[in-house]
Structure formats: structure tokens, C-alpha cells
């Protein structure tokens, strides 16, 4: 079954510290993966997608097919990074995106 | 561009009633997906509409139905409401054959069933 697992419900780091939000997936074939973010009182929005290999707001994510992971990383966390982060997988046929349960990131001053 | 708009923002219904939620996709998008997000959980896929037809459906009972109109807007209908249907309902739009570009989400409709 296709599944996205985010093992941490809450991650708390100090400002300036590196941050890594974990995401593991279960999928047969070549996955298309995304990270979405929801800031306080804002709607869910796309942060980045692995296919574009871009860096958004200093965040990057590398697809590791061997470990079936797509962890989100940032070398120096900022207070404005505090938000809810969801990892998502586009399923076979491209009709359905499956979301993980989310990780709340809290960046302390 | 207003992006994806959903209405109403909040709704309170009684068990057994029926509800209709509405969504207008982002300008230029032609595909609408609906998600249910319970408290503390990630969004769960309900179904997706393209060209006024349901393209794929998640693990939701037939009480959940939808419709897409020629202008690409969409409705989600839930019949015989249960307490467990209380959740945030999210609408997401995308472009056909460009799902790998990701979704644009609305702000959601908060449904409370009492």
C-alpha cells in the first residue's frame, strides 16, 4: 500500500540550529514527492517538490530511494519557520496525493 | 488572483442532516480534489474531479458525493451526517496532467456535526 510516514509529531529546535523533518514513504515505482507547509492562520501551501530539485526559503529535500525517504532539511532554522509541515506522495496515475500526518516545527528564540 | 475559494468557512449541522460545501478553483486550474482533515491528522483524500467526472475516489462511503460544473467549480455533498464527519474539509485545485506541480489549497470549511 502507498503510505507516507512522518515519525515526529513535534520537533523543537533553537534558532540557528539545523533542522531535519523526517519523511518515509512506501511506494512501488518512481515516486513524486512534495513538502507542504501551513503557517499559523494560513492555508496549506506547497513548499517544494522533489522533481524540481529547488531550494525554497533555505529548505531542501533529497529523495533517497534506497531508504525510501524524503527528509526536509534546513541548515539554520529561523523563528518564522515555525509551522506545520506535511510530506506528500503523488500516487500511480497522478490522480491522488497522499499526505503524512504532519510534523509541527517549533523554532525557539 | 483569489486562488482557491471555499464556502462556507464554518458550518454546524445536526446528525442525520445533509450538507453541501463549495469550491472555486484557482484561475487556470481545471481539476479539483477534496480532502478531509480531522484534528491532529493529515488530509485524507476523498475524491478528485476533472471534466465534470469523478476520476478517483478514496476510502469514503457513498454518503460522500461530489459534482463539478462546466466552470470547474465543485461541490462536496455529505448525506446522513455522523458525529465523525466533523472535520476541516479542504479543496485543492490543480492542472490536468500537471499534478506533479502540486496543489493549490483553499482555506477549508470547518464542519461541526452535533
Amino acid at each position: 500500500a502507498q503510505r507516507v510516514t512522518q515519525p515526529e509529531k513535534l520537533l523543537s529546535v533553537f534558532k540557528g540550529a539545523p533542522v531535519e523533518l523526517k519523511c518515509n514513504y512506501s511506494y512501488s515505482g518512481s515516486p513524486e514527492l512534495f513538502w507542504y507547509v501551513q503557517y499559523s492562520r494560513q492555508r496549506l501551501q506547497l513548499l517544494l517538490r522533489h522533481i524540481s530539485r529547488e531550494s525554497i526559503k533555505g529548505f531542501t529535500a533529497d529523495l533517497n530511494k534506497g531508504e525510501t525517504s524524503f527528509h526536509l532539511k534546513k541548515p539554520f532554522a529561523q523563528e518564522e519557520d515555525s509551522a506545520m509541515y506535511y510530506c506528500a506522495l503523488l500516487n500511480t496515475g497522478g490522480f491522488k496525493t497522499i499526505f503524512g500526518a504532519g510534523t509541527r516545527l517549533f523554532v525557539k528564540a | 488572483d483569489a486562488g482557491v475559494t471555499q464556502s462556507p468557512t464554518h458550518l454546524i449541522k445536526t446528525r442525520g442532516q445533509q450538507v453541501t460545501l463549495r469550491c472555486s478553483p484557482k484561475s487556470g486550474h481545471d481539476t479539483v480534489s477534496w480532502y478531509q482533515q480531522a484534528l491532529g491528522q493529515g488530509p485524507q483524500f476523498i475524491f478528485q474531479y476533472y471534466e465534470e467526472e469523478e476520476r478517483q475516489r478514496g476510502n469514503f462511503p457513498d454518503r460522500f458525493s461530489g459534482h463539478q460544473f462546466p466552470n470547474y467549480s465543485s461541490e462536496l455533498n455529505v448525506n446522513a451526517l455522523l458525529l465523525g464527519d466533523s472535520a476541516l474539509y479542504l479543496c485543492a485545485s490543480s492542472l490536468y496532467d500537471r499534478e506533479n506541480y502540486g496543489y493549490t489549497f483553499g482555506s477549508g470549511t470547518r464542519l461541526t456535526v452535533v
Side-chain angles (χ1 to χ4, degrees), chain A residues 9 32 34 36 38 43-46 49 51 84 86 90-102, chain B residues 2-4 33 35 37 40-45 48 55-58 90 99-103 105-107:
Chain A
K9 280 193 173 294
E32 298 204 36
F34 308 83
Y36 285 83
Q38 187 167 28
R43 60 185 68 189
L44 195 57
Q45 59 186 282
L46 180 66
R49 48 196 181 108
I51 197 169
M84 194 74 184
Y86 294 94
L90 182 62
N91 81 332
T92 306
F95 297 163
K96 169 181 172 180
T97 298
I98 300 163
F99 286 80
Chain B
V4 177
S33 302
Y35 283 81
Q37 186 173 22
Q41 297 184 22
Q44 299 295 312
F45 178 79
Q48 184 182 84
R55 224 163 42 145
Q56 189 165 7
R57 188 179 184 91
L90 295 170
E99 282 88 356
N100 60 353
Y101 281 37
Y103 287 151
F105 278 91
S107 297

Side-chain angles (χ1 to χ4, degrees), chain B residues 55-111:
Chain B
R55 224 163 42 145
Q56 189 165 7
R57 188 179 184 91
N59 295 325
F60 280 80
D62 292 343
R63 298 187 296 108
F64 289 77
S65 63
H67 189 78
Q68 186 180 33
F69 300 93
N71 67 352
Y72 309 121
S73 66
S74 176
E75 289 182 350
L76 164 64
N77 301 292
V78 187
N79 294 323
L81 284 166
L82 304 174
L83 294 179
D85 295 331
S86 294
L88 180 68
Y89 288 85
L90 295 170
C91 172
S93 72
S94 55
L95 194 57
Y96 175 70
D97 271 355
R98 295 289 187 270
E99 282 88 356
N100 60 353
Y101 281 37
Y103 287 151
T104 300
F105 278 91
S107 297
T109 294
R110 171 74 59 188
L111 172 64

